[in-house]
Amino acid sequence: MQHSSIVCATTKQKNGLLHASMFGGEKGFVRSIAENSLLIPVTEDGDYMRMIENINANPFIGLLFFVQGVSETLRVNGRASIVREKELLTIHFPTDQQLVAAIQVEVEECFYIVPKPFSL
């Protein structure tokens, strides 16, 4: 996770359809804030409002972390919530001025996916 600059997050919409969003940043942009808790920064770029609406309706989330040049991927499943408290956001993302919120994920499952016939 600390070497990943891309994560795909999947949530479920109110109508039951799945929605996948890509988040990116510098390596390690997703923070581990406790043993089973992650924090993903959310900026106004992309379709962050749909992701927030989905999490508010159904907290289950799936994450897939990619590292360029590495064939293994890290998969995380858990429950998400939206964090908007400026103090918490500033502690974990002190230089990110475009941050509007963060997705906090309480990890329920975490495992590596073995190499598949694709490469990044």
Side-chain angles (χ1 to χ4, degrees):
M1 191 178 78
Q2 67 196 32
H3 300 290
S4 177
S5 60
I6 301 170
V7 63
C8 178
T10 304
T11 56
K12 191 173 186 180
Q13 300 177 72
K14 290 179 185 178
N15 63 8
L17 297 175
L18 296 177
H19 174 77
S21 290
M22 299 296 285
F23 291 88
E26 294 189 23
K27 291 179 182 179
F29 75 101
V30 175
R31 306 288 200 268
S32 176
I33 61 171
E35 185 174 334
N36 292 319
S37 188
L38 306 176
L39 208 55
I40 304 168
V42 177
T43 63
E44 291 184 357
D45 300 342
D47 58 349
Y48 73 98
M49 285 305 296
R50 183 182 298 179
M51 182 69 70
I52 289 172
E53 289 173 9
N54 293 348
I55 290 168
N56 286 334
N58 182 337
F60 295 102
I61 191 167
L63 305 174
L64 189 60
F65 289 87
F66 296 94
V67 176
Q68 188 173 10
V70 176
S71 55
E72 293 88 4
T73 56
L74 177 66
R75 183 172 168 184
V76 174
N77 293 317
R79 293 177 186 254
S81 59
I82 305 303
V83 175
R84 290 191 173 92
E85 292 83 12
K86 291 291 185 193
E87 184 177 313
L88 181 64
L89 297 175
T90 303
I91 289 170
H92 294 288
F93 307 102
T95 60
D96 198 336
Q97 301 300 319
Q98 295 181 332
L99 199 62
V100 295
I103 299 170
Q104 184 169 353
V105 179
E106 298 304 320
V107 178
E108 296 176 352
E109 291 183 299
C110 181
F111 49 92
Y112 285 101
I113 297 176
V114 295
K116 298 290 180 185
F118 72 92
S119 62
L120 299 175

